[in-house]
Amino acid sequence: MAKASATVTVNPQHDGNTLRDGLHRDRVTDPCSIVFFGASGDLFKRMLLPAVYALRLNGTLSNDFALVGYSRSNYTDESFREYCKQQLDEFAPADQKPKGAIWDDFARRISYMSADFDDVKCYEALKKRLDENDAQLGTAHNRLFYLSTPPSVFPEIIKHIKAAGIDPRTHVKGWTRIVVEKPFGTDLLSARALQQTVERAFDERSVYRIDHYLGKEPVQDIMALRFANTIFEPVWNRNYVQSVQITAAEQLGVELRGGYYDNAGALRDMIQNHVMNLLALVAMEPPASSDADAIRNEKFKVLSAIAPPTHEDVASMSARGQYGPGSIDGKPAIGYRAEQDVDPASNTETFAAVRLHVDSWRWAGVPFYLRSGKRLARKVSEIAVTFKPIPHRLYGESTDTIEPNVLVIKIQPEEGVTMRFEAKVPGPKSHIRSVFMDFNYGSGFGVQSPPAYERLIGDAIRGDQTLFTRWDAVERAWEIVTPILDVWEHTKDFTFPNYPAGGQGPESAAKLFPEWRAL
Ligand code: NDP
C-alpha cells in the first residue's frame, strides 16, 4: 500500500449558472474502502472505475477512501494503478481524465489482490488490507463490497466474506454493505437460493441489489413528475388512461456476451428487472414519505397486484421473437443464431413483449404493455402513457384523425418528457394536428445527467437504498415472469428467426398490441 501523504481536497465551486442550482447538493460521503470483486472485468473498467473517479472529482467521495481491486488477473498494486489510469484515459469523459494531484492522491489509495474467489487465505489477506486502510488511509471501518463478477460466484464470495469475519454482523465497527450486480438469480428458485446465502451474512438494510436503469435521471424523475406536480396525479388512473406501454429497445445485438445471453433471453435479461421496475414506478401509489422503504413498499404493492399468468394464458398475453439477418443503419447485420457463442439452433428469445394488469382500484382494466429486444430499428427506452380518446368530437375536418394525448417519459438515448396534444392548424379551416411539448434534461438544466453508476455508487456509500431493489420486489418479479419462462422454455418457437435485424420486432408483438409506438 502507498504511504500516506497530504490529502487533496476537492470542493466543487458554484459556477454561477442558475440552471444548475441544486445540482451539487450531494453531501460528501462517509470515509470508506470500496472492494471491487471482478476488478479486471469489463464492467469495472467501463463503468465502475469512471464512476468512482467522477465521484472523487465532483467532491462526493470522501477524501478518506480506498479502492481495493480483487480478481484473478495478475497485477501488483503498482501495475493495477497503471491499469486503472489507462482505463480512465480510455473510458472516462474528456473532462474527467486522470491527471495532476487529484489523480496522484486517488492512485495511492488503490490496491489490488490477485486470487481466485475460492481462496480462503485471500479473504484473510483482504481483512488485513481493510484494517490497514482504516489505520493508514482513514477509511473509518466502513466497507462497501461490490460484486462485479459472474453471478455464479456471488454465493461463494458471500460465504467467504462471512467466514473471514468481514461481514457486518461480525465486523461491527463502522458500516459494511454489499452491492450485488444483476442478474439476481436466473429464475425464481435460484434467486431464492442466492437470497438465502445473502441473508446468512447480510441484513436487508446492508444489501444493495443494483439495477442501473434506476440510476438514470429520467427514471428518478418519474416520481418527481408524478408527486411534485398537481396536474398529472388526478388523471393518472383508469378513468383517464387507456394504456401504458414501456419499451426498452436496443439496436445492438449480443456483441461479445452471446454465451451469457443465450442462457438468459430478453425476458430474464430486461423485463424481469429493468422494465418491471419502471412499471412499478409508473403505477405505484404516492408513498407516505420519500424514505427508501416508503417508496419500496409502494413499488412492492404494485407488483403484488399483478397476477402471474397461468400457463394457459401465456400465449395470449405475450409474444417472443428472435432476430434473423437484416440491416442496421444501412449496414448488413447477421442473425442471432450466427452470433459468437450462440447455439446455431437456439430457441432463446431476443425480443419479448407481455401484457400485464395491475389489479388495483387505480388501474383496473388498464393494460400495461412491456417490450424489450435486441437488434431493433432504434435504441430507445421510454414509457408512454396513452390517455382515453375524447368523448365527443367538435373540432377537425372529417379527414382529420384526432389522436389521444400521450405523455412520454424518455429514458434513453434522449432524456426528458414529451406531451402530445391536438392543436388547430393555422388557417381558415379547422384542421387538427398533433403537436408536442418537449422537455429535455440537457437543455432544461444546462448539464447532461450523471451516469447511472455514479449516482448508484454514491447512494450505496451514503446508505440510501431508494434506487436499489428490495428482495420482496425481486422475488415477486420472478414470480410474475416464471410461467412465461416455463412455457417458452418447454415449447420451441418454430417461427424463429421471426424479425429482421433492424426491424420493429415480430408480427406476433403487433398482434398482441397493434398500437406500439414505432421504433
Ligand atoms: P467479466 O467477465 O468481464 O468480468 C468478470 C470478472 O470476475 C473478472 O474480473 C474476472 O477476473 C473475475 N472472476 C471471474 N471468476 C473469478 C474467480 N473464480 N476468481 C476470481 N475472479 C474471478 O464480467 P462483466 O464485468 O461484464 O460483468 C460483471 C457483472 O456485472 C456480471 O454480474 C454482469 O451480469 C454484470 N453486468 C455487466 C454489464 C456490462 O456491461 N459488462 C452490464 C450490467 C451488468 P479474471 O478475468 O481476472 O479472472
Side-chain angles (χ1 to χ4, degrees):
M1 184 188 314
K3 288 222 171 66
S5 67
T7 292
V8 177
T9 307
V10 190
N11 280 321
Q13 298 297 313
H14 191 283
D15 61 6
N17 183 340
T18 49
L19 284 177
R20 292 202 265 270
D21 277 354
L23 293 177
H24 295 302
R25 250 184 280 143
D26 283 350
R27 290 92 62 200
V28 172
T29 52
D30 289 344
C32 67
S33 287
I34 313 174
V35 181
F36 285 102
F37 293 95
S40 61
D42 177 67
L43 188 67
F44 177 78
K45 69 178 179 191
R46 283 191 309 107
M47 300 289 175
L48 307 180
L49 176 64
V52 177
Y53 194 54
L55 289 170
R56 173 72 171 129
L57 290 180
N58 69 24
T60 303
L61 194 62
S62 161
N63 295 322
D64 297 318
F65 81 98
L67 186 161
V68 183
Y70 187 145
S71 41
R72 283 173 302 200
S73 299
N74 212 2
Y75 294 105
T76 60
D77 287 350
E78 206 43 59
S79 63
F80 186 65
R81 287 179 193 131
E82 190 46 40
Y83 170 82
C84 289
K85 183 167 190 306
Q86 285 163 5
Q87 304 315 316
L88 286 172
D89 276 329
E90 185 169 353
F91 295 107
D95 58 346
Q96 295 174 2
K97 299 295 187 198
K99 59 179 193 268
I102 292 186
W103 165 251
D104 292 344
D105 184 57
F106 188 90
R108 80 182 177 83
R109 293 168 175 280
I110 297 177
S111 59
Y112 184 78
M113 315 202 54
S114 166
D116 207 289
F117 290 139
D118 63 6
D119 185 345
V120 181
K121 283 201 205 88
C122 203
Y123 291 83
E124 282 154 17
L126 175 61
K127 180 176 194 289
K128 197 160 157 261
R129 176 69 51 91
L130 293 169
D131 289 342
E132 284 168 7
N133 286 347
D134 293 332
Q136 295 172 19
L137 297 175
T139 46
H141 302 279
N142 296 323
R143 285 100 193 254
L144 183 72
F145 297 122
Y146 196 120
L147 304 189
S148 176
T149 67
S152 54
V153 295
F154 292 168
E156 189 168 53
I157 298 172
I158 295 166
K159 281 178 197 156
H160 284 302
I161 286 175
K162 184 163 174 58
I166 45 178
D167 61 296
R169 291 183 194 139
T170 316
H171 174 80
V172 290
K173 289 188 198 160
W175 50 255
T176 300
R177 301 179 185 135
I178 189 162
V179 179
V180 186
E181 258 300 338
K182 68 156 240 194
F184 198 90
T186 53
D187 56 23
L188 182 57
L189 292 183
S190 62
R192 282 181 177 153
L194 175 57
Q195 175 60 14
Q196 277 179 3
T197 307
V198 169
E199 277 172 9
R200 283 189 204 113
F202 293 87
D203 298 329
E204 184 63 31
R205 67 192 154 83
S206 308
V207 184
Y208 292 69
R209 292 175 200 82
I210 208 161
D211 177 345
H212 67 269
Y213 254 58
L214 295 187
K216 291 180 190 291
E217 208 66 40
V219 174
Q220 297 159 47
D221 197 45
I222 297 170
M223 275 193 294
L225 183 86
R226 293 188 55 198
F227 305 132
N229 294 289
T230 51
I231 60 170
F232 300 113
E233 252 341 83
V235 295
W236 210 257
N237 58 51
R238 69 194 161 83
N239 296 326
Y240 292 92
V241 175
Q242 179 86 3
S243 66
V244 178
Q245 49 177 302
I246 305 179
T247 300
E250 296 174 83
Q251 212 182 31
L252 287 176
V254 290
E255 309 296 293
L256 300 174
R257 305 186 82 212
Y260 154 76
Y261 195 87
D262 210 31
N263 289 312
L267 195 65
R268 276 195 179 87
D269 190 47
M270 296 293 289
I271 303 266
Q272 185 273 341
N273 38 62
H274 303 321
V275 181
M276 213 66 96
N277 259 313
L278 296 181
L279 188 161
L281 285 168
V282 169
M284 71 191 234
E285 295 300 320
S289 72
S290 59
D291 275 6
D293 270 326
I295 292 168
R296 300 192 306 173
N297 288 344
E298 296 306 332
K299 287 177 66 184
F300 175 64
K301 277 196 227 160
V302 172
L303 299 180
S304 313
I306 299 174
T310 63
H311 286 167
E312 291 69 39
D313 287 342
V314 168
S316 64
M317 51 71 70
S318 67
R320 57 177 157 163
Q322 186 190 76
Y323 63 85
S327 72
I328 297 281
D329 290 338
K331 295 192 189 113
I334 58 172
Y336 176 69
R337 289 175 178 177
E339 299 276 12
Q340 187 181 325
D341 300 328
V342 168
D343 176 357
S346 175
N347 188 46
T348 300
E349 82 285 356
T350 59
F351 177 100
V354 292
R355 183 188 60 234
L356 297 175
H357 285 273
V358 180
D359 296 325
S360 67
W361 191 277
R362 183 191 283 261
W363 293 116
V366 179
F368 285 73
Y369 292 99
L370 321 180
R371 70 176 160 168
S372 180
K374 288 194 177 287
R375 280 285 190 237
L376 292 165
R378 194 161 63 96
K379 173 188 169 91
V380 58
S381 291
E382 63 174 33
I383 299 162
V385 179
T386 302
F387 292 89
K388 292 200 163 161
I390 51 167
H392 173 60
R393 186 178 168 123
L394 277 179
Y395 286 99
E397 299 295 321
S398 57
T399 50
D400 294 344
T401 309
I402 300 196
E403 301 287 354
N405 298 138
V406 182
L407 182 86
V408 183
I409 301 167
K410 299 182 291 183
I411 296 162
Q412 66 177 16
E414 286 179 76
E415 301 187 336
V417 180
T418 294
M419 179 82 202
R420 179 175 86 183
F421 62 100
E422 302 299 283
K424 182 183 168 303
V425 179
K429 296 210 161 174
S430 71
H431 277 302
I432 295 289
R433 211 188 67 198
S434 297
V435 293
F436 298 88
M437 278 196 287
D438 216 11
F439 159 69
N440 173 290
Y441 270 92
S443 49
F445 288 107
V447 288
Q448 291 305 319
S449 36
Y453 277 104
E454 188 181 318
R455 168 68 196 255
L456 294 170
I457 293 174
D459 281 1
I461 303 173
R462 269 188 289 271
D464 183 346
Q465 293 183 299
T466 311
L467 302 179
F468 296 85
T469 315
R470 209 168 59 186
W471 164 244
D472 52 3
V474 175
E475 184 180 40
R476 186 62 191 165
W478 276 121
E479 285 169 355
I480 294 166
V481 300
T482 293
I484 311 172
L485 285 173
D486 285 348
V487 171
W488 287 3
E489 267 167 23
H490 292 105
T491 51
K492 198 166 169 63
D493 191 322
F494 291 101
T495 68
F496 280 4
N498 59 0
Y499 71 96
Q504 296 286 323
E507 289 262 328
S508 51
K511 282 197 190 125
L512 178 73
F513 183 47
E515 283 150 39
W516 289 115
R517 286 162 53 81
L519 294 171

Short mmCIF file of all heavy atoms in Angstrom, two decimals, residues 250-253 326-333 374-378 500-503:
data_model
loop_
_atom_site.label_atom_id
_atom_site.label_comp_id
_atom_site.label_asym_id
_atom_site.label_seq_id
_atom_site.Cartn_x
_atom_site.Cartn_y
_atom_site.Cartn_z
N GLU A 250 -33.10 -2.07 -27.98
CA GLU A 250 -31.68 -1.85 -28.29
C GLU A 250 -31.45 -2.08 -29.78
O GLU A 250 -32.09 -2.94 -30.38
CB GLU A 250 -30.82 -2.82 -27.50
CG GLU A 250 -30.89 -2.61 -26.01
CD GLU A 250 -30.14 -3.69 -25.28
OE1 GLU A 250 -28.92 -3.58 -25.14
OE2 GLU A 250 -30.79 -4.66 -24.87
N GLN A 251 -30.52 -1.34 -30.30
CA GLN A 251 -30.12 -1.57 -31.69
C GLN A 251 -28.98 -2.59 -31.73
O GLN A 251 -28.82 -3.33 -32.68
CB GLN A 251 -29.65 -0.24 -32.29
CG GLN A 251 -29.94 -0.11 -33.76
CD GLN A 251 -29.42 1.18 -34.33
OE1 GLN A 251 -28.41 1.73 -33.87
NE2 GLN A 251 -30.08 1.68 -35.35
N LEU A 252 -28.23 -2.63 -30.65
CA LEU A 252 -27.10 -3.57 -30.57
C LEU A 252 -27.60 -5.01 -30.53
O LEU A 252 -28.71 -5.28 -30.08
CB LEU A 252 -26.29 -3.31 -29.30
CG LEU A 252 -25.41 -2.07 -29.26
CD1 LEU A 252 -24.77 -1.94 -27.87
CD2 LEU A 252 -24.34 -2.12 -30.35
N GLY A 253 -26.72 -5.91 -30.95
CA GLY A 253 -27.02 -7.34 -30.80
C GLY A 253 -26.41 -7.82 -29.50
O GLY A 253 -26.31 -7.06 -28.53
N GLY A 326 -30.37 -9.01 -41.21
CA GLY A 326 -31.09 -7.80 -41.62
C GLY A 326 -30.09 -6.69 -41.83
O GLY A 326 -28.92 -6.96 -42.17
N SER A 327 -30.51 -5.48 -41.56
CA SER A 327 -29.54 -4.39 -41.68
C SER A 327 -29.80 -3.35 -40.60
O SER A 327 -30.95 -3.11 -40.20
CB SER A 327 -29.60 -3.77 -43.07
OG SER A 327 -30.77 -3.03 -43.20
N ILE A 328 -28.69 -2.79 -40.14
CA ILE A 328 -28.74 -1.75 -39.10
C ILE A 328 -28.06 -0.52 -39.69
O ILE A 328 -26.90 -0.60 -40.11
CB ILE A 328 -27.97 -2.20 -37.83
CG1 ILE A 328 -28.63 -3.43 -37.21
CG2 ILE A 328 -27.84 -1.08 -36.83
CD1 ILE A 328 -29.85 -3.20 -36.36
N ASP A 329 -28.77 0.58 -39.71
CA ASP A 329 -28.24 1.82 -40.29
C ASP A 329 -27.64 1.57 -41.68
O ASP A 329 -26.54 2.05 -42.00
CB ASP A 329 -27.16 2.43 -39.37
CG ASP A 329 -27.77 2.99 -38.09
OD1 ASP A 329 -28.99 3.28 -38.10
OD2 ASP A 329 -27.04 3.10 -37.09
N GLY A 330 -28.33 0.78 -42.48
CA GLY A 330 -27.89 0.54 -43.87
C GLY A 330 -26.78 -0.48 -44.01
O GLY A 330 -26.39 -0.82 -45.13
N LYS A 331 -26.27 -1.00 -42.88
CA LYS A 331 -25.18 -1.98 -42.98
C LYS A 331 -25.73 -3.37 -42.66
O LYS A 331 -26.55 -3.51 -41.74
CB LYS A 331 -24.07 -1.67 -41.98
CG LYS A 331 -23.37 -0.37 -42.27
CD LYS A 331 -22.10 -0.26 -41.44
CE LYS A 331 -21.52 1.13 -41.59
NZ LYS A 331 -21.56 1.93 -40.40
N PRO A 332 -25.28 -4.41 -43.40
CA PRO A 332 -25.81 -5.75 -43.13
C PRO A 332 -25.49 -6.20 -41.71
O PRO A 332 -24.42 -5.88 -41.18
CB PRO A 332 -25.09 -6.64 -44.16
CG PRO A 332 -24.16 -5.78 -44.92
CD PRO A 332 -24.27 -4.37 -44.44
N ALA A 333 -26.43 -6.90 -41.10
CA ALA A 333 -26.21 -7.42 -39.74
C ALA A 333 -26.58 -8.91 -39.74
O ALA A 333 -27.59 -9.29 -40.33
CB ALA A 333 -27.09 -6.66 -38.76
N LYS A 374 -33.44 -6.91 -28.74
CA LYS A 374 -32.15 -6.52 -29.32
C LYS A 374 -32.29 -6.43 -30.83
O LYS A 374 -33.21 -7.01 -31.42
CB LYS A 374 -31.09 -7.56 -28.97
CG LYS A 374 -30.70 -7.49 -27.51
CD LYS A 374 -29.43 -8.27 -27.25
CE LYS A 374 -29.00 -8.13 -25.81
NZ LYS A 374 -28.44 -6.82 -25.49
N ARG A 375 -31.33 -5.72 -31.44
CA ARG A 375 -31.31 -5.56 -32.89
C ARG A 375 -32.66 -5.06 -33.42
O ARG A 375 -33.19 -5.61 -34.39
CB ARG A 375 -30.93 -6.88 -33.57
CG ARG A 375 -29.44 -7.16 -33.55
CD ARG A 375 -28.73 -6.29 -34.55
NE ARG A 375 -27.35 -6.65 -34.75
CZ ARG A 375 -26.32 -5.83 -34.56
NH1 ARG A 375 -26.50 -4.59 -34.13
NH2 ARG A 375 -25.09 -6.21 -34.82
N LEU A 376 -33.16 -4.04 -32.76
CA LEU A 376 -34.38 -3.40 -33.26
C LEU A 376 -33.98 -2.13 -34.02
O LEU A 376 -32.80 -1.77 -34.09
CB LEU A 376 -35.31 -3.11 -32.08
CG LEU A 376 -35.86 -4.40 -31.45
CD1 LEU A 376 -36.47 -4.14 -30.09
CD2 LEU A 376 -36.89 -5.08 -32.37
N ALA A 377 -34.95 -1.48 -34.62
CA ALA A 377 -34.65 -0.37 -35.53
C ALA A 377 -33.90 0.77 -34.83
O ALA A 377 -33.11 1.47 -35.44
CB ALA A 377 -35.95 0.15 -36.13
N ARG A 378 -34.14 0.94 -33.55
CA ARG A 378 -33.65 2.13 -32.86
C ARG A 378 -33.41 1.79 -31.41
O ARG A 378 -34.13 0.96 -30.83
CB ARG A 378 -34.78 3.17 -32.96
CG ARG A 378 -34.46 4.58 -32.63
CD ARG A 378 -35.53 5.50 -33.23
NE ARG A 378 -36.87 5.28 -32.69
CZ ARG A 378 -37.41 5.99 -31.69
NH1 ARG A 378 -36.71 6.91 -31.08
NH2 ARG A 378 -38.65 5.76 -31.29
N PRO A 500 -36.37 -9.30 -38.74
CA PRO A 500 -35.04 -9.00 -39.26
C PRO A 500 -34.29 -8.04 -38.33
O PRO A 500 -34.92 -7.19 -37.69
CB PRO A 500 -35.34 -8.31 -40.59
CG PRO A 500 -36.68 -7.70 -40.40
CD PRO A 500 -37.43 -8.55 -39.42
N ALA A 501 -32.99 -8.21 -38.25
CA ALA A 501 -32.19 -7.23 -37.50
C ALA A 501 -32.50 -5.84 -38.08
O ALA A 501 -32.57 -5.67 -39.29
CB ALA A 501 -30.70 -7.54 -37.67
N GLY A 502 -32.75 -4.91 -37.20
CA GLY A 502 -33.08 -3.55 -37.65
C GLY A 502 -34.58 -3.34 -37.82
O GLY A 502 -35.01 -2.26 -38.25
N GLY A 503 -35.40 -4.33 -37.46
CA GLY A 503 -36.85 -4.22 -37.66
C GLY A 503 -37.58 -3.75 -36.41
O GLY A 503 -36.98 -3.24 -35.44
#
